[in-house]
Amino acid sequence: MRFTFETSSDGVREQLFTLGEIPGVLWTPDGATGPRPLVLMGHGGGQHKKAPGIVARARRFVVGYGFAVVAVDVPGHGDRPKDPEYDRIATANQARVAAGAELAPLIARFQALVARQTVPEWRAVLDAVQDLDRVGAGPVGYWGVSLGCGLGVPFVAAEPRVRAAVLGLGGALASAEVAARVTVPVEFLLQWDDERVPRAQGLALFDAFGSAEKTLHANPGGHGEVPAFEVDSGVRFFARHLG
Amino acid sequence: MRFTFETSSDGVREQLFTLGEIPGVLWTPDGATGPRPLVLMGHGGGQHKKAPGIVARARRFVVGYGFAVVAVDVPGHGDRPKDPEYDRIATANQARVAAGAELAPLIARFQALVARQTVPEWRAVLDAVQDLDRVGAGPVGYWGVSLGCGLGVPFVAAEPRVRAAVLGLGGALASAEVAARVTVPVEFLLQWDDERVPRAQGLALFDAFGSAEKTLHANPGGHGEVPAFEVDSGVRFFARHLG
């Protein structure tokens, strides 16, 4: 793990790093020492580790509760090179949708493919970040919606360090079978008028989680229109389960 | 409005009253003066104005945010006499269910009938309580699940003083048409494994609300198993919209 750039503002220390080929960013409280809860955040499709929705939530976790937060670029996103194989599939999928194919199953297959790469990458990131004195082996949370849900469900299912997850804007086609193996508390965000994930698919994914504690938050609006008050709700959810 | 008994504990003043034939209870902060938000709470079937779930939430509203809270007994409940007509219908419905009839449509028709009495009653209660100096004409919220939802939807639709409502454990059969006339922010509680309200009926009622801001909170478990963290969520919801 190699730190490449560091800055600090309003009590939050932000460090860019690379772990092998993975570019990432770590947020911790200024002057933090000793172990603390850690939240890994997965960004959405076409976004990156420092997308505004990621940064805003990360700062809330750090400032409000003293958590550490880490986010990395998904392959083909942010500071990572384009992946010719993923690009080829994405282009083929666009052509299929233009020809009338359903979008959801194509997204599902694509995310399952990418997850085969990101699950081990994210586990390696946890290993590296938890080796730092100011993070340590505290409880871990996962936050990710849309692509961050499609990649997050298999990650949460595979990684016993994760004790709670905020997921959402994803459907059962992508993740139902794997979701049954998720047993930690889940807060699941669903957009009632999601133009990318059919409502029934989102409800079926919520239904599929194996967790005894899971809570569905559904709100009107499209895929990108999760209301601001859900940010507060996610912060409180992690405070309850990791704090 | 006649006050009949008063007590105070932990900063909360509790006053029993009658308004005509309606027995009620008013909670306000100890020593409160001047106008403040008011929450009207509707209890569940077979319960009453001081059921534990009502009292616990009422105290949270008063202590946390300085709100006033009022609850009254629904006809045939609590300190009110049995209503022969309602009793006759309830007995007939029990016989129909025993003979294999579906429960939900019977509940729906019954609640619609009772609401024709409770909507004007509750409006009169608002009038009386808001005449008190320590309550005044501040914003009003409504909280009610199960029977409190079946009676609450027509009340919220009819009463312009209500600015926000927590509803839930109710279905579209009872309330969909009236729900379309509800336009204030709604937080709607749905129990994923509700044995009394079919899941599809609960989702359809959420869908039916005319509100631009409405948020569905669905959790695993049966009709009576709303998780404790939803109490906090309801408190924050009213703080956001009435505070």
Side-chain angles (χ1 to χ4, degrees), chain A residues 192-193 199 203-204 206-207 211-220 229-230 232-233 236 240-241, chain B residues 192-193 199 203-204 206-207 211-220 229-230 232-233 236 240-241:
Chain A
W192 203 243
D193 313 294
R199 187 185 298 168
L203 293 171
F206 173 70
D207 192 49
S211 314
E213 182 183 327
K214 54 183 179 180
T215 187
L216 168 70
H217 286 192
N219 294 287
F229 57 77
E230 292 294 357
D232 291 325
S233 181
R236 281 189 305 267
R240 202 160 74 232
H241 293 290
Chain B
W192 203 243
D193 312 295
R199 188 185 298 166
L203 292 172
F206 173 71
D207 192 50
S211 313
E213 181 183 327
K214 53 182 178 180
T215 186
L216 169 69
H217 287 192
N219 294 287
F229 57 75
E230 291 295 356
D232 292 325
S233 180
R236 282 189 303 266
R240 202 161 73 229
H241 292 291

Side-chain angles (χ1 to χ4, degrees), chain A residues 14-17 23-27 49-50 54-55 69-73 129:
Chain A
E14 177 181 298
Q15 295 173 291
L16 299 179
F17 67 84
V25 54
L26 174 66
W27 293 277
K49 63 186 176 303
K50 284 190 64 180
I54 299 288
V55 175
V69 180
V70 65
V72 299
D73 288 327
V129 171

Side-chain angles (χ1 to χ4, degrees), chain A residues 181-195:
Chain A
R181 301 203 306 268
V182 171
T183 56
V184 297
V186 169
E187 185 162 285
F188 187 77
L189 299 170
L190 183 147
Q191 287 296 101
W192 203 243
D193 313 294
D194 195 318
E195 71 282 7

Side-chain angles (χ1 to χ4, degrees), chain A residues 102 104-109 111-112 146 149-150 153-154 168-180 188-190 194 196-209, chain B residues 192:
Chain A
E102 255 195 277
L106 297 172
I107 291 177
R109 275 205 299 276
Q111 291 182 351
S146 195
C149 178
V153 171
L169 312 183
L173 279 173
S175 314
E177 208 176 320
V178 186
F188 187 77
L189 299 170
L190 183 147
D194 195 318
R196 298 187 59 182
V197 182
R199 187 185 298 168
Q201 285 290 323
L203 293 171
L205 177 52
F206 173 70
D207 192 49
F209 287 112
Chain B
W192 203 243

Side-chain angles (χ1 to χ4, degrees), chain A residues 27 41-43 48-59 71 143:
Chain A
W27 293 277
M41 300 188 72
H43 65 74
H48 57 84
K49 63 186 176 303
K50 284 190 64 180
I54 299 288
V55 175
R57 286 171 178 83
R59 298 190 70 93
W143 186 98

Side-chain angles (χ1 to χ4, degrees), chain B residues 60-173:
Chain B
R60 291 285 306 277
F61 297 143
V62 173
V63 173
Y65 295 97
F67 293 176
V69 180
V70 66
V72 299
D73 288 327
V74 168
H77 289 70
D79 296 327
R80 299 184 77 156
K82 295 285 166 205
D83 183 299
E85 169 72 359
Y86 295 152
D87 272 2
R88 190 189 57 72
I89 298 169
T91 304
N93 283 348
Q94 280 161 16
R96 286 192 190 109
V97 169
E102 255 193 279
L103 181 60
L106 298 172
I107 292 178
R109 275 205 299 276
F110 185 65
Q111 292 182 351
L113 177 73
V114 178
R116 290 211 290 270
Q117 178 174 354
T118 52
V119 169
E121 284 190 357
W122 294 359
R123 302 187 75 170
V125 169
L126 281 194
D127 292 342
V129 172
Q130 288 199 319
D131 263 354
L132 300 169
D133 279 344
R134 66 186 178 286
V135 179
V140 174
Y142 177 79
W143 186 98
V145 299
S146 195
L147 175 64
C149 178
L151 304 180
V153 170
F155 173 69
V156 174
E159 178 48 69
R161 285 174 285 188
V162 175
R163 307 267 190 86
V166 175
L167 298 161
L169 312 183
L173 278 172

